Amino acid sequence: MADAADATIGGALMSDDVLKSMPEELHRHLLYTLSCDKLTEDPTYYYQASALAVRDRISQAWRATKQAVSTSDTKRVHYLSLEFLLGRSLNNAIQNLDLDAAVKDGLHKFGMHLEEVVEAEHDAGLGNGGLGRLAACFLDSCANLKLPVTGYGIRYEYGMFHQKIESGRQVEAPDHWLRDGNLWEIERPEDTRKVHLYGHTERYYDQDGQLRSRWANAQNLLAVPYDMPIPGYKNNTVNTLRLWKAAATDEFDLNEFNAGSYPEAVSEKNNAEQISMVLYPNDSSENGKQLRLKQQYFLTSASLQDVLADWVDRHGEDFSKFGELNCFQLNDTHPACAVPELMRLLIDEHKLEWDEAWSIVTSCMAYTNHTLLPEALERWSVGLFSQMLPRLLEIIFEINERLLKAVAAANPGDNELLKRISLIEEGDHPHIRMAYLSIVGSFSVNGVAQLHTDLLKEGLFSDFYKLWPEKFNNKTNGVTQRRWLSHCNPKLKGLISDAIGTTWESDLESISDLAPLAEDAEFRQRWAAVKLANKQRFSDYVKENTGVEFSTNAMFDVQVKRIHEYKRQLLNVLHVIHLYNRIVAGDTQGMVPRCVLIGGKAAPGYHLAKVIVKLVNNVAEVVNNDDRAKDLLKMVFFPNYRVSAMEIICPGTELSEQISTAGKEASGTGNMKFMMNGALTIGTLDGANIEIREKAGAENFFLFGLDAHEVAETKKAYNPNEIIAGDEDIRRIMEVLEQGTFNRDEPGLFEVLTSGLRNSHDQWVTIADLRSYIDAQAVVNDTYRDQEKWNRMSILNAANSGWFSSDRTIQQYADEIWKVKPV
Ligand code: 26W
């Protein structure tokens, strides 16, 4: 048997040796590592054996990558994020290490199929949605580009909740993703860090007679790191995602032990462990919970200490080059405590002076904003902060004082300006504005699509933009084509690679070579055949999860994302009701059969979002059970939407719904996944849709609705009732909704929704966009009738998706923000 440790990833040596040795390796793991008595048929064991065999092969490159980085002394990047939505790892690792044939073949020898075996892996659902999945795509691209980037996050015991649908309503169940263990992580107890909470600050004179501040009487807890490998694509690079688990210190319980209260001591331990217990399932409104602030501080303090400890190992107490050789990218404001915490560590622990420390902090922190929604901007109560993080609060006050002094000097007499930019929002309950803290403490502030960045500059952050225009920049999001095309759509991958080679897998711009093939009738036919096969898989999956039959003759129309008013799933439902009304009225001339799927989780405390879920289910129930609609219209709410569901939904989708109120969706990334897989988009001029339309060509995009500035104008004198009264189709839609067609047994159930639509203060101006949306959907319908045309447009969308690779995004972060080179 070849020694696994000798194999080179993606090297020439590999394939033959691996093919031969894989069955033996699987066998060895089944027998010795997993101790299976006789050869089992349980796919879970084969999943574990495969993961172990693949992990063996990752180890060497992982060690080599660490070695290369630690000896090179190049600049390093630390990506701090409360969320990493990785999904499954086995298939990804197999693909990136080029082990596909070997593992498939190895499993065959045991009568097992890889497709079945990978299903045994739980999704690592350590994120809510866009921001968390973006972090995962970024790690993949950093490894692909061989960049020295480490991810830092929290090892939540429970990830994003499991969504069940009972009587049409969302019910949350815990996601204990670690219950069968996690073969992808390695605990590193030797790198455990100590984190402080509570206590108070005190003044003292150090040996040099200097007056200093320190954090006294704090409670300590431990941060224990678990490392996960992030393999690059066939390039011998394996980067690291380091996730922290909270644990109690031993010292903690001593007093209580001595007092004989063993159970109390153990419950203290539990208290500490709470911190990494559960991911907050909120992605659009901050709720000021203590535990969440603890999580944020826990992550930032442990990660910064980790980086500093490594620095001191290599450079001693000389920090003169620390700022130049490190960069911390803050994924939204969630890790914003990094600004005052790095100040604290440098000043209190490493005895630097304020100015020196501040110049280091502001040369190595960079902040990405992911949302314009005011209710999602984090503000922490000063009271809570002073209790939990007293020393940090002191530092924040000092940062603020210096900021206000400098701004006042440059803008004498402008007290309004000072109030507006203060890090502290004054009032009965003063709050710290975490976004402002992040801007002030960073050398770079970026938005995630061009429109979003422009709106940040002219709106939310305009005062800061005037102060420091040079800090602001745009980095349009991207997604990794390795997961979101190669892995999830093997048939399309095959077709594309047959036609233009495989360069696109590591350099997506080259997918543009497909464009001329849009004119090739035979290629179009093969393209359509792949879509059809993917629709079949999609349809089987829908049947399995909902019991509803989606006919592959119909157009597959999909909206999957978190449920939120601004994303306007409601607009989608209004259109479905419109189609249903036409069917009932017999007005079906030229109507193409459609299957509409909506999926996504509602934050557990977001009542309106939950009512929207219920509405989708109720409309689906009526439509799917009406014989008149049988051949023309189906609708489902897909339960428990997650990364591994998208891997099946995305390849089979034909129409991608990106219909948010313009100016509200920072970027969107689902829109990019669909485009790569040849879906056409119906969308507003919002977030990255604008760039998608530019790249795809306006003629290959179904545009509707008001743009961001028109939305603002419309709101000044918005009269939805007038629009409703003046438009026969819209009047009908509202009528059936308000008559209770979809809530016979529960009168008034959807009143909150209909009254919202009719409200002149409706923030999402849904009714204002409805006519335009219905008309655009009619154009979609007519285009679909011409399948040659549709397929041409589909190919052109995929061919023009090169810009939306996260490799491009990360290359821009590396060149323009981080200034790092591959190792
Ligand atoms: C404090 C509660 C909370 C938690 C998470 C507020 C806000 C968030 C995230 C910033 C929400 C989020 O995921 N934003 C999404 O980020 C994606 C990646 O940049 C964008 O593509 C989406 O448009 C944006 O909604």
Side-chain angles (χ1 to χ4, degrees), residues 130-131 282-283 285-286 332 334 370 376 448 477 566 665-668:
L131 161 137
N282 234 319
D283 77 331
S285 67
E286 52 97 23
D332 215 278
H334 315 157
H370 295 267
V448 291
N477 284 166
Y566 86 79
E665 189 69 271
S667 163

Side-chain angles (χ1 to χ4, degrees), residues 83 128-132 134 280 282-287 292 296 331-332 334 368-371 375-378 448 477 566-567 664-671:
E83 305 187 13
N128 272 283
L131 161 137
L134 185 76
Y280 274 90
N282 234 319
D283 77 331
S284 54
S285 67
E286 52 97 23
N287 60 6
R292 168 80 175 176
Q296 297 187 346
N331 202 17
D332 215 278
H334 315 157
T368 306
N369 172 282
H370 295 267
T371 179
E375 65 271 29
L377 294 180
E378 291 192 297
V448 291
N477 284 166
Y566 86 79
K567 294 179 188 280
K664 297 293 174 189
E665 189 69 271
S667 163
T669 44
N671 47 3

Side-chain angles (χ1 to χ4, degrees), residues 699-813:
E699 67 286 7
N700 298 312
F701 186 102
F702 302 107
L703 179 69
F704 76 96
L706 302 169
D707 70 22
H709 291 108
E710 290 165 346
V711 166
E713 275 307 302
T714 300
K715 281 181 180 170
K716 291 181 187 160
Y718 181 43
N719 189 346
N721 289 311
E722 197 176 280
I723 301 175
I724 294 168
D727 186 312
E728 185 51 26
D729 290 331
I730 299 182
R731 204 186 52 72
R732 269 301 289 153
I733 296 168
M734 293 303 289
E735 192 174 272
V736 292
L737 251 177
E738 288 167 341
Q739 278 171 353
T741 312
F742 307 107
N743 51 316
R744 288 270 164 258
D745 311 327
E746 292 175 88
L749 184 59
F750 300 126
E751 225 270 322
V752 264
L753 300 180
T754 50
S755 65
L757 290 168
R758 286 184 177 280
N759 192 320
S760 58
H761 298 292
D762 175 20
Q763 283 196 71
W764 324 110
V765 294
T766 304
I767 294 296
D769 275 346
L770 183 52
R771 173 41 54 194
S772 166
Y773 182 56
I774 291 173
D775 291 346
Q777 287 286 16
V779 177
V780 170
N781 181 90
D782 295 345
T783 309
Y784 197 78
R785 293 177 66 191
D786 182 352
Q787 281 289 300
E788 292 299 335
K789 179 170 181 196
W790 186 278
N791 291 328
R792 203 177 287 124
M793 291 167 74
S794 164
I795 295 167
L796 289 174
N797 264 271
N800 290 310
S801 66
W803 178 253
F804 303 102
S805 166
S806 45
D807 297 343
R808 184 272 310 156
T809 314
I810 286 300
Q811 193 63 59
Q812 291 183 319
Y813 275 88

